[in-house]
Amino acid sequence: MAGASKAVVDSRANLPFVYRQYSPEQLRQVLHKMYLIRRFEEGAEECYMRGLIHGTMHLSIGQEASAMGICMPLAEDDQITSTHRGHGHCIAKGAEVSRMFAEFFGKTTGYCKGRGGSMHIADVAKGNLGANGIVAGGIPIAVGAALSSKMMKTGKVVVSFFGDGANNEGAFHEALNMAAIWKLPVIFVCENNGYGMSTSTARSTAVKNIAERAAAYSMPGVIVNGNIFSEVAEASFKAVERARAGEGPTLIESKTYRHRGHSKSDRNRYRTKEEIEDWMANRDPITLFENELRDFGFIDEQGIEAIRDAVAKEIADGIEFAKASPAPEIATLENYVYTEHA
Amino acid sequence: MDAAVRELSYAQAIQEAMAIAMDMDERVFLMGEDIGVYGGAFQVTGDLVERYGTDRVIDTPISELGGAGVAVGAAVTGMRPIFEFQFSDFATLGMEQIVNQAAKMRFMLGGEVSVPLVMRFPAGSGTGAAAQHSQSLEAWLGHVPGLKVIQPATPHDAKGMLLAAVADPDPVMIFEHKLLYKMKGHVPEGHYTVPIGKAEIRRQGRDLTIVATSIMVQKALDAAATLEGEGIDIEVVDLRTIRPIDRQTVIDSVKKTSRLLCVYEAVKTLGIGAEVSALVAESEAFDYLDAPIVRLGGAETPIPYNPDLEKATVPQVPDIIAAARDLVKGVR
Ligand SMILES: Cc1ncc(C[n+]2csc(CCOP(=O)(O)OP(=O)(O)O)c2C)c(N)n1
Ligand SMILES: [Mg+2]
């Protein structure tokens, strides 16, 4: 509890949810991981610019509190399905950045052995069933995982992350309905960053808030400020409790913003520079959380510096690991298409 | 600029064709994801929204099944939609409307309606976009009576075939290889059409016929240029349309060269190469064959992310050279 004055910690009762629910050490870990997500994506972006990573990538910079808040109450064997913008979810669920970098570099040590890349990043051992190249593709899969949990009585809760754009796919509606009629332990998390590629929710979606869709499927629909870690974590905590108690699904709409373009080929012609700068300057989720931690006396400047340094080293080491890892042999081209028989 | 040598990229050629189609016929309009201010994921629609407005260049929500169906409904009732799938892979989401509705509506209603619908599908691998954004699914749609399926291989044909597709009373599916979008070539100004259902001989030769589709046409031409130095004379047939197939051009070419190599990017098994091989085997050209027919197609795997694996998944120029050489030298 370096830096936290005793008087402040004793008055935790009046602080927001996470400061009452989790230990200072856990919360400092959260800040660490938020930085890890941010620096991972900045590192990946730089490697891409330098031609070390090919293809494309979708960065979640600006959405870190959402990924961390949702995953906060999850147990290690709870599961998630993720999206094309899935690096943050992956790290929040416990992935190592070294193996993520290795995947981006197309190496055999990567989480998908170099076959998937950024858009299919996964960590099955930690419960991440994978990012997805198909908008809304992961939503029914999460419902299926929740059905397994119920049938196999594992007690697992499943979270499906998706974007605002996904709420207009048929798969979203079909999946929510089934989850509701079968009361499955699944949480639908819409990370509403205002746009599906270039199309604003106002232009794409008939309801003002995506959480309103929940009413059509008789489940709670909750709106949170996705850039405030505590708000997201609190909503997730309640939804997890409800799911574990067998009371069925919840739809959480986490309102947030992506600082970067949609992908590497975006010219940002559908939004203004002022809008982007406003979100970056005034609502950066890491800055907001860091300030809170500092103001509440959970960390001091030195503690923050230590986190930043540790993260920088983790990122540098991860990139080195990826570079030094072997590439797949061409002869293995058709591996993993079907299950290998011993 | 001299009209005779004016060059455009493949993407520009398509954009110009869409503009001409909209100028000529007010029923023509564009629908798709991010085709407006974004200009399309591959900048094919570009600034058309500025010229034609949001009533004729319509951004849809991310709703492929519904969007495809809306296009079908509009086509049946008097409009002429050109629907862009952002990636051909997402045809899988629109398949119900394409296969069960668009393709069959005229037939099921005994000819009482037509479905003058154009759908565009950016297809193929080579961009590092991995397994769900790199597929070549044209043979899926080529299997469906009621649809026409084309794969223009040059900027010239991309424009002319799109204009032919817009004029066609039936649904036409256009597969555009993403790596072709930047390819430059001669594109005449103004309105012209390139017929659907007609193959084109890109290079005359005596020793071997290569039937290629889409991006493989240029690769086959590159291979042929190399083999010319070895005294091997290759004929390259650009199939251009996979439904309805131009049987006669293929048969006549094989009768002339006595050897057939099919080259296509899609997964080899059950692909267009099987159809071309079979149509030759079933025809009078069979008696002319001096060697077994050979197919070069994609490996039996989804497209991997790793760039070297990705390249190895689909036929490359050296693969075509090796296969053609073996065929002509009688190694096969
Ligand atoms: C079925 C399908 N349609 C379209 C796309 C292309 N695409 C990829 S991401 C995206 C935008 C998604 O928006 P949203 O769901 O809001 O997620 P965000 O990118 O904002 O995180 C689009 C149109 C796709 N991958 N899959
Ligand atoms: Mg979005």
Side-chain angles (χ1 to χ4, degrees), chain B residues 96-207:
Chain B
E96 193 286 304
Q97 286 292 329
I98 300 170
V99 175
N100 295 321
Q101 313 296 344
K104 300 174 175 55
M105 206 155 167
R106 176 172 176 80
F107 174 81
M108 293 185 300
L109 303 191
E112 291 295 318
V113 295
S114 290
V115 187
L117 166 68
V118 176
M119 287 181 160
R120 299 183 33 248
F121 302 89
S125 69
T127 64
Q132 295 174 333
H133 285 72
S134 305
Q135 299 171 86
S136 298
L137 300 176
E138 59 277 358
W140 286 29
L141 297 187
H143 196 65
V144 181
L147 302 179
K148 297 181 181 179
V149 183
I150 64 177
Q151 290 185 279
T154 66
H156 174 277
D157 285 4
K159 177 176 170 183
M161 295 187 90
L162 178 54
L163 285 168
V166 173
D168 200 293
D170 294 316
V172 180
M173 310 286 118
I174 310 180
F175 283 80
E176 304 161 356
H177 200 292
K178 284 166 277 181
L179 295 186
L180 290 178
Y181 281 135
K182 294 211 164 90
M183 174 202 214
K184 290 218 157 191
H186 169 54
V187 177
E189 297 198 48
H191 183 271
Y192 67 93
T193 58
V194 171
I196 293 168
K198 197 85 200 73
E200 173 83 352
I201 297 175
R202 294 281 172 207
R203 186 184 199 280
Q204 302 272 352
R206 285 171 290 110
D207 298 332

Side-chain angles (χ1 to χ4, degrees), chain A residues 53-55 103-104 106 114-117 119-120 132-134 168-169 197-199 203-204 266-267 269 328 333-334, chain B residues 34 37-38 43 59 61-64 86 90 127-130 132-133 299-301 305-310 312-313:
Chain A
I53 294 175
H54 87 142
E103 186 57 36
F104 287 26
R115 271 66 177 182
M119 207 150 36
H120 304 291
N132 210 306
I134 301 300
N168 296 311
E169 288 281 16
M197 213 157 149
S198 68
T199 308
R203 291 205 299 131
S204 72
D266 188 346
R267 292 173 298 167
R269 289 209 295 198
L333 182 62
E334 292 180 10
Chain B
D34 306 287
V37 62
Y38 197 93
Q43 296 302 313
D59 273 339
I62 309 176
S63 306
E64 290 79 10
Q86 199 164 80
F90 312 152
T127 64
Q132 295 174 333
H133 285 72
E300 306 294 320
T301 171
Y305 164 71
N306 174 284
D308 294 325
L309 291 184
E310 182 182 22
T313 303

Side-chain angles (χ1 to χ4, degrees), chain B residues 36-76:
Chain B
V37 62
Y38 197 93
F42 299 97
Q43 296 302 313
V44 177
T45 42
D47 66 357
L48 288 179
V49 70
E50 279 154 44
R51 290 155 63 191
Y52 295 92
T54 50
D55 287 347
R56 293 184 82 188
V57 180
I58 303 175
D59 273 339
T60 68
I62 309 176
S63 306
E64 290 79 10
L65 173 60
V70 169
V72 173
V76 169

